[in-house]
Amino acid sequence: MFDIPEELKKLPGKPGVYIMHDESDAVIYVGKAISLKNRVRQYFQSSRNRGAKIDQMVSHITRFEYIVTDSELEALVLECNLIKEHRPKYNTMLMDDKAYPFIKVTVEEPFPRIMLARKLVKDRSKYFGPYTSAGAVKDTIDLIRKLYHIRSCNRKLPADIGKERPCLNYHIHQCNAPCQGYISQEEYKKAIEEVIQFLSGNYDLILKRLKSDMEAASDALEFEKAIEYRELLSSVQKIAQKQKITDTAGDDRDILAVAAEGEDAVVQVFFIRGGRLIGRDHFYLRILEGETKGGILSSFIKQFYAGTPYIPAELMLPEEIEDRELIEEWLARKREHKVYLKVPKKGAKEKLVELAEKNAALVLSTDKERLKREEGRTIGAVKELEKLLGLEGIVRMEAYDISNTSGFASVGSMVVYERGKPKRNDYRKFKIKGVQGANDYASMEEVLTRRFRHGLEEREEGKELGGFTAFPDLILMDGGKGQVNVALEVLEKLRLNIPVCGMVKDDFHRTRGLYYENVEMPIDRNSESFRLITRIQDEAHRFAIAFHRDLRSKGQVHSILDDIPGVGPARRKDLMRHFENIDAIKSASVDELKKLPSINEKSAREIYNFFHGCDILNP
């Protein structure tokens, strides 16, 4: 029995992280402290005015643990990691998990390329961004290729010059074909230098050139060319208009502001790169009622910049936040250069912060009803499911499905939902390797074993949480008792304790109820939890079918029948239609095989011999 008063006396007066658990041992809060002794004790002092939400959180604490660190900065880093891993109920949580793309110019190559990059890697390439829209990045790259005729292929140049014919881009005038030696390395590098100028926001050169080309084409009565130049000119002007100068200093900075109401908050971020506003975005947070704006911003900064690959030199804020100097030190270590958190008091920077605040308030008021509906469909549905199953703290759910064609080329799918929303980055596909024929139970056993073994191995290697490493709070099986038992057997072998629930279907293949702990329980078809279960089930099925179809379309599905001499597409199709699975074909006699329209006696013997490793003599 955990004795809270006694354990409070043992707390050290050192920096570290404390972790609060409820009666089900779920992590409900993670915090850091300069002195664990002083900070943790404050939660259990009845005289303190903590607010209703904190009082509620404290009432659920049955035990706490702590990790001592050498410094407060180490405690901050550990706090960020633990919040990301456990997503505690009472921490201010960033609801969006967004990744921003970059434009990458491979300047280290003799003939550089331009491409979209999802991560900023410390290589010798030049990166621009991050941008808030992947679509806008793709449009910009397409425009650059039209303007400067930069290659998009993966050929190794100059080694591969002249080895293959030029691609379609050369024929449609979007590439100067360095692969054929039609442009020198020096000329190509000049075009790349102009591209870098363009991406840095210097549009004057290209605007002047396009206008001149348009007028020249018009004077020469080449009206089609003139129209083409006019459209390119218009595209560049649109980009130039969006990139309005916002700061004459030309620095990189993010402008942050927050709006909060009840348990909802929105943080608005303006991204300024090289003194130009390149985009803006807003983020939803789940907060404790009564949380200060400074506290919300502090939590947001720690969670958002822990995951973003690029950190600017300055963050502009509407008010001072707690731990400002500590957060600056942490961001500086990540950036490997100084980072400042500033509160502008006058001038253009203050106006920008005010603008960000107005935008945050507008988003919050506009989206409040939509957010509530969305929460009902997602978080609300998960809470309904928790109540139905008698569980708590369900954040991550995984569902599995098997797909095959009459037992051939079986594949498995794993889909992941977090807080009621699909987390597609964590979806996984499996080719069934150790099972032949339409044996869904054995195929599911293989998929689950591989999934959780892989996860355990990655955990031992200390890999970052995500994908296989993150384990679910609930496993959903596409079936009833049989499928659930398969999952439970796998988990027992691997010594894992994860709840497993079956999605039981009726004769029309519709979900009629849930199978949990040896009991089939009905579920209200009009409830949000039922709709969520149906979405998850359909998504697992769709993902498996799509993978199976993709393999077939790419010609990657290889049947064992393809290896039998004399068995072509027509005979293979006949065998698959007539027999239930490979085992049935193996067991068939020559006379049974001869009954198929496309199979003569010679073919029947070859099929039989292939599976039995012997020759059948002519009668």
Side-chain angles (χ1 to χ4, degrees):
M1 184 70 179
F2 191 88
D3 189 335
I4 289 178
E6 283 300 314
E7 294 299 325
L8 287 172
K9 294 175 186 176
K10 300 175 186 176
L11 285 165
K14 293 181 179 180
V17 172
Y18 53 93
I19 305 156
M20 305 297 196
H21 294 260
D22 64 9
E23 59 184 4
S24 64
D25 213 33
V27 175
I28 59 173
Y29 190 77
V30 174
K32 63 160 185 58
I34 301 174
S35 169
L36 287 165
K37 185 176 186 177
N38 296 340
R39 186 73 187 95
V40 178
R41 279 181 172 181
Q42 289 175 359
Y43 287 98
F44 301 95
Q45 292 172 358
S46 57
S47 60
R48 297 189 69 86
N49 184 17
R50 298 171 302 208
K53 284 286 180 180
I54 298 293
D55 285 338
Q56 186 184 11
M57 185 264 285
V58 172
S59 70
H60 285 97
I61 297 172
T62 56
R63 77 176 183 92
F64 61 80
E65 57 181 316
Y66 56 88
I67 302 169
V68 175
T69 58
D70 288 333
S71 66
E72 194 183 359
L73 180 62
E74 282 186 18
L76 174 68
V77 174
L78 182 57
E79 179 197 33
C80 291
N81 292 336
L82 290 174
I83 288 173
K84 184 180 178 182
E85 180 178 350
H86 296 291
R87 298 189 65 84
K89 181 178 180 179
Y90 290 99
N91 280 95
T92 296
M93 289 303 304
L94 179 62
M95 306 296 285
D96 306 86
D97 187 14
K98 301 179 183 179
Y100 295 104
F102 294 80
I103 292 178
K104 176 180 178 179
V105 184
T106 60
V107 291
E108 74 279 7
E109 296 180 333
F111 291 90
R113 294 167 294 148
I114 298 160
M115 61 189 74
L116 183 148
R118 291 288 179 185
K119 293 181 179 179
L120 192 152
V121 182
K122 290 183 179 178
D123 54 15
R124 289 181 292 162
S125 297
K126 197 168 182 65
Y127 290 83
F128 296 87
Y131 297 91
T132 54
S133 166
V137 168
K138 289 172 184 173
D139 290 345
T140 302
I141 291 171
D142 286 344
L143 177 60
I144 287 170
R145 285 175 181 159
K146 288 176 184 175
L147 292 171
Y148 298 102
H149 304 166
I150 304 301
R151 74 185 183 105
S152 59
C153 65
N154 291 322
R155 296 180 189 178
K156 293 181 180 179
L157 303 180
D160 290 346
I161 287 178
K163 286 187 178 178
E164 294 181 43
R165 290 181 297 175
C167 66
L168 179 64
N169 284 344
Y170 167 73
H171 297 289
I172 62 173
H173 310 295
Q174 288 193 19
C175 179
N176 284 329
C179 60
Q180 302 302 307
Y182 294 164
I183 182 172
S184 69
Q185 195 170 330
E186 290 73 25
E187 287 178 290
Y188 192 91
K189 280 286 176 75
K190 282 181 185 176
I192 288 294
E193 285 169 11
E194 286 192 31
V195 168
I196 290 170
Q197 287 286 317
F198 180 91
L199 290 170
S200 300
N202 187 353
Y203 307 111
D204 295 340
L205 191 65
I206 188 65
L207 285 170
K208 194 179 292 184
R209 195 184 86 194
L210 286 172
K211 192 174 181 181
S212 174
D213 290 344
M214 180 182 69
E215 289 170 352
S218 181
D219 291 342
L221 304 181
E222 295 176 332
F223 297 116
E224 285 187 9
K225 270 191 177 181
I227 290 169
E228 187 180 332
Y229 287 130
R230 186 187 68 190
E231 288 175 351
L232 289 172
L233 184 66
S234 175
S235 297
V236 176
Q237 284 172 335
K238 281 179 185 175
I239 290 178
Q241 183 64 24
K242 286 179 183 177
Q243 305 291 316
K244 291 177 182 177
I245 294 286
T246 57
D247 180 7
T248 54
D251 293 331
D252 288 0
R253 56 169 52 91
D254 288 351
I255 311 292
L256 285 75
V258 63
E261 186 179 332
E263 296 182 5
D264 299 318
V266 168
V267 171
Q268 180 82 39
V269 184
F270 289 169
F271 301 98
I272 296 173
R273 301 293 178 262
R276 296 172 184 268
L277 178 65
I278 66 163
R280 64 178 185 175
D281 210 342
H282 56 267
F283 303 83
Y284 300 104
L285 293 98
R286 187 191 74 219
I287 64 171
L288 296 176
E289 198 165 351
E291 184 84 54
T292 65
K293 288 186 177 182
I296 296 167
L297 282 170
S298 178
S299 296
F300 172 80
I301 290 168
K302 287 186 283 187
Q303 291 177 58
F304 179 68
Y305 292 101
T308 188
Y310 180 78
I311 297 168
E314 289 182 353
L315 305 184
M316 293 292 178
L317 310 174
E319 59 183 71
E320 289 288 348
I321 63 169
E322 57 187 41
D323 302 325
R324 180 181 61 82
E325 291 180 359
L326 183 66
I327 292 173
E328 282 180 338
E329 187 183 350
W330 169 63
L331 292 173
R333 282 201 185 184
K334 285 180 67 65
R335 188 174 187 260
E336 297 180 355
H337 206 279
K338 275 281 187 185
V339 177
Y340 299 95
L341 274 61
K342 295 182 177 179
V343 181
K345 301 296 183 185
K346 60 181 180 179
K349 292 172 183 174
E350 185 190 22
K351 296 289 185 191
L352 273 172
V353 173
E354 287 177 4
L355 185 62
E357 283 184 303
K358 287 177 183 175
N359 276 268
L362 183 64
V363 169
L364 185 62
S365 62
T366 304
D367 286 5
K368 194 162 180 60
E369 289 305 314
R370 185 189 64 78
L371 283 170
K372 282 187 176 177
R373 289 195 301 273
E374 181 67 18
E375 185 172 313
R377 292 180 69 250
T378 56
I379 300 168
V382 174
K383 286 179 179 175
E384 278 184 15
L385 188 60
E386 285 179 344
K387 190 174 180 182
L388 184 65
L389 301 177
L391 295 171
E392 284 187 1
I394 296 177
V395 175
R396 181 184 174 101
M397 295 184 286
E398 292 180 4
Y400 298 84
D401 195 21
I402 302 294
S403 178
N404 58 65
T405 305
S406 301
F408 296 90
S410 290
V411 298
S413 71
M414 162 185 149
V415 300
V416 179
Y417 274 62
E418 281 194 0
R419 302 185 64 78
K421 294 180 182 179
K423 190 178 184 185
R424 292 185 173 86
N425 286 347
D426 283 4
Y427 284 16
R428 293 293 183 268
K429 305 168 183 175
F430 302 83
K431 288 182 186 177
I432 306 302
K433 299 175 180 177
V435 180
Q436 290 188 348
N439 189 336
D440 282 358
Y441 286 168
S443 297
M444 187 61 75
E445 182 183 7
E446 180 184 322
V447 166
L448 291 169
T449 302
R450 283 165 57 190
R451 181 265 179 270
F452 287 105
R453 262 199 194 138
H454 198 154
L456 289 168
E457 287 167 5
E458 286 189 353
R459 283 186 169 197
E460 284 179 13
E461 293 167 10
K463 287 198 175 180
E464 188 178 341
L465 198 71
F468 284 127
T469 319
F471 284 1
D473 304 303
L474 179 67
I475 295 172
L476 294 166
M477 303 302 295
D478 188 32
K481 185 177 180 179
Q483 291 279 16
V484 169
N485 286 341
V486 167
L488 290 172
E489 284 172 16
V490 170
L491 294 173
E492 188 178 353
K493 284 177 188 173
L494 298 174
R495 297 180 181 177
L496 293 172
N497 183 22
I498 302 170
V500 182
C501 178
M503 300 178 284
V504 186
K505 301 189 194 75
D506 59 20
D507 295 337
F508 300 98
H509 208 73
R510 296 174 306 195
T511 303
R512 73 169 187 234
L514 301 175
Y515 184 82
Y516 181 64
E517 293 188 333
N518 295 317
V519 177
E520 184 179 322
M521 51 186 72
I523 184 169
D524 181 4
R525 287 178 177 271
N526 296 315
S527 66
E528 290 294 350
S529 55
F530 176 80
R531 294 187 183 101
L532 176 62
I533 289 288
T534 304
R535 288 197 298 274
I536 294 172
Q537 196 173 32
D538 290 345
E539 181 71 348
H541 190 58
R542 179 203 65 78
F543 194 53
I545 293 280
F547 180 39
H548 192 262
R549 189 184 296 123
D550 187 46
L551 288 178
R552 291 202 312 270
S553 67
K554 289 178 181 176
Q556 292 174 343
V557 174
H558 181 80
S559 169
I560 193 170
L561 302 179
D562 294 329
D563 297 328
I564 304 174
V567 174
R571 284 174 177 157
R572 185 173 67 241
K573 193 173 182 181
D574 234 5
L575 287 164
M576 289 172 69
R577 279 179 174 172
H578 186 80
F579 294 99
E580 187 178 343
N581 51 43
I582 288 285
D583 291 333
I585 299 172
K586 283 182 184 178
S587 304
S589 64
V590 172
D591 289 335
E592 286 174 320
L593 292 166
K594 277 174 17 185
K595 289 177 183 177
L596 273 65
S598 64
I599 296 178
N600 55 30
E601 190 166 338
K602 182 184 176 185
S603 299
R605 284 201 197 97
E606 285 176 337
I607 295 166
Y608 187 92
N609 292 345
F610 179 84
F611 285 114
H612 294 272
C614 60
D615 288 327
I616 298 176
L617 299 174
N618 289 322

